[in-house]
Amino acid sequence: MARSLVAITPAWPGAVAAALVLLLTLGTLAAVAWRAEWQGGLAAADWAAIRFTVSQALVSAALSVLLAIPVARALARRRFVGRKLLITLLGAPFLLPVIVAVLGLLAVFGRGGILNSALTGLGFEPISIFGFHGVVLAHVFFNLPLAIRLILQGWLAIPAERFRLAATLNASVWRMLEWPMLRAVAPSAFLVIFLICLTSFAVALTLGGGPRATTVELAIYQALRFDFDLGRAALLACIQFGLCVLAAFVAWRISIIDAMGAGLDRVVQRWDLRWPALDYAMIAAAALFLLVPLAMVVLRGLPGLMDLPPSIWDAALRSVLVATGSAILCVAMALALSLHGGALVAIIGVLPLAASGLVVGTGAFLIVFPFIRPADVALIVTMLVNAVLALPFALRAIAPAVAAVSEDFGRLALSLRLTGWSWLRIVVIPRIRRPLGFAAGLAAALSMGDLGVITLFAGEAQETLPFAMYRLMGAYRMEAAASAALVLLALSLSLFWICDRGGRTDADL
C-alpha cells in the first residue's frame, strides 16, 4: 500500500483549497461576529424570525419524513414497469433550481393555478400559497424525494433472510423488521432535512415575507438590501450560523445503526403484500405531486420562449459562466483535498454544511465593502461561494475514488518515481473520471440555480438568470418568468448531463 498520496503529490494545492474554504466559512463568520451589534440584542421582529425559521423547518422536515414512509414502503414492496425510472426521477428536485420549482408550485397552487381554478369553479374561496403553509409546501416538494430515497435505502438494506424468518415465525414484518429500521433511519433523515430547511433562502424570499413569514436569512437580506443595517445583518448571520451548527452537530451525532446483520444477497420475497391498490395510490400521489409542477413550468414557458427580452439571455450567459467557473473550482478543490487526505481535510470538507450561503455572503459583503463596490465583484464572489458550498457533495463523490487509486497503484507509482502532475495525469484522473464528471455536473447545476449570494451583491448589470426571474415575478410578469424558468431548467439539466456524460466517456480506459 502506498504510504499516502501526500508523498506522491505536492501538498500546496490541498493547502490552498483548505485556506479558501476556511476563508469563506470561518473567515466570513469572524467578519460577521466582529461587525455584529451584540449590545443592542435582538428586537421582537428578530425573535419572530427565529421562531418562524425553526418552526417551519420542524414542520417541513416532519411532514417530509411522515409522507415519505408509506411511499418508500410501497416502492420497496412493489415491482412495476418504470419503477427504476421513477426512483431516478426522485432525485430531480435536488438538481432543480429553487426559483423554477417555486414557479411550478405557483402554477398549481397559486391564485391563478390549477387548484384555485378548480375551487372557484366549484364555488369555493381560493387559497393562498404565500406565508407559512406556502413555505412548508415548497420545502416538502423539495425534500420529500430526498426522504423517500433515504428511507427506501433502509428498506432495501433489510436482508432477504429476515423476511423469511418473519414468515416462518408468522410474525409481523412491521413490528419485527420495518419499525426497528425506521427508528434508526427516520431520525437522521429528519435532521438532514431540518438543516436543509433552515438554510432555504429562496423559498422564503418568494413565498414568505411579511412580519409573520420571515426567516432569519430573509431578515439578513432585508437588513442589507433595504435598511443597510450592517450591524443587525451581522448579528442575525451569527444567529443563523449557530442554528446551522447545532442542527449539523445533532445530525452528525445521530447515525444509522444497522441492527439487521448481513445477508446472502438473495432476492427479497414478501408474504405480506396485501392492499396493493393502497401502495400504488401512494406512489401515484407522490409522482403527481412532484411531476405536475414541472410539467406546468414547461407548458407555461413554451409559448413566450421566443419573446424573452435580451436581458434574460444576458443573464443566462452570466449564469452559465458562473456555474462553469464554480464547477471547475469545486472539482479542483475536491481533488486537491482528496489527494492530500487526513482528518483535518475531512473536517474542512464538511465546514460548508454548517455555513449557509447567505451567512457566507454576508461575511463576504462585510469584508469587501470597505475596499470595493460589492456589485463589481458580484459574479466572482458568487462563483467562489457556490464552489465552496458544493464542496461537501463533490468530496463525497471524489475522495473514495482517489483513495481506491492510492490503494491500488500508490506503491507502484512510488517505485517508478511517478509523482506530481505525471501521477495525476497518467494514473489518477483516467480512473476517477466518472466521479469527477458527476461532481462537476452537480456543482454546476447547484450554482446555476442559486438565488442567495447574488441577491446581496448584484445590481441589474450583474444579475444572473434566477435573479432576473425573481425580478420578473416581483413585477408580476409571470408569462416572461415562466419562459425564463424553462430556459433555466434546460440549462441546469444540460450542464449536469454534459459534465456527467463527459465523465462517463472512456472512463474505463
Side-chain angles (χ1 to χ4, degrees), residues 113 118 144-145 190 240 413 501:
L144 177 63
F190 172 86
Q240 176 69 14
R501 183 66 176 174

Side-chain angles (χ1 to χ4, degrees), residues 180-240:
M181 180 275 297
L182 284 175
R183 285 191 301 176
V185 174
S188 59
F190 172 86
L191 287 169
V192 168
I193 295 173
F194 176 78
L195 179 60
I196 293 173
C197 295
L198 279 181
T199 59
S200 182
F201 167 70
V203 170
L205 180 65
T206 51
L207 297 178
R212 296 183 179 180
T214 299
T215 61
V216 176
E217 290 198 341
L218 187 53
I220 295 171
Y221 168 74
Q222 292 169 347
L224 276 179
R225 293 288 291 190
F226 300 120
D227 303 330
F228 202 69
D229 189 344
L230 299 182
R232 178 170 175 264
L235 178 60
L236 291 170
C238 291
I239 299 296
Q240 176 69 14

Side-chain angles (χ1 to χ4, degrees), residues 455-503:
T455 60
L456 300 179
F457 283 80
E460 293 187 9
Q462 298 85 22
E463 64 182 11
T464 57
L465 188 52
F467 198 17
M469 271 188 62
Y470 172 68
R471 290 182 182 275
L472 289 174
M473 293 170 64
Y476 297 100
R477 299 176 59 186
M478 302 306 292
E479 294 80 6
S483 298
L486 184 57
V487 174
L488 179 57
L489 177 63
L491 289 175
S492 299
L493 297 180
S494 296
L495 282 176
F496 177 79
W497 182 84
I498 290 171
C499 294
D500 186 47
R501 183 66 176 174

Side-chain angles (χ1 to χ4, degrees), residues 420-446:
W421 171 245
S422 298
W423 153 260
L424 194 63
R425 177 177 58 86
I426 298 173
V427 181
V428 177
I429 291 181
R431 288 169 175 80
I432 64 168
R433 287 181 60 178
R434 285 179 182 269
L436 278 178
F438 174 79
L442 186 60
L446 293 176

Side-chain angles (χ1 to χ4, degrees), residues 352-397:
L353 291 177
S356 72
L358 210 67
V359 173
V360 174
T362 302
F365 187 95
L366 295 173
I367 291 173
V368 304
F369 176 72
F371 309 103
I372 191 172
R373 196 167 70 99
D376 294 338
V377 293
L379 299 182
I380 295 176
V381 172
T382 301
M383 181 188 70
L384 291 173
V385 173
N386 287 342
V388 170
L389 294 180
L391 181 61
F393 306 105
L395 276 174
R396 288 291 297 271

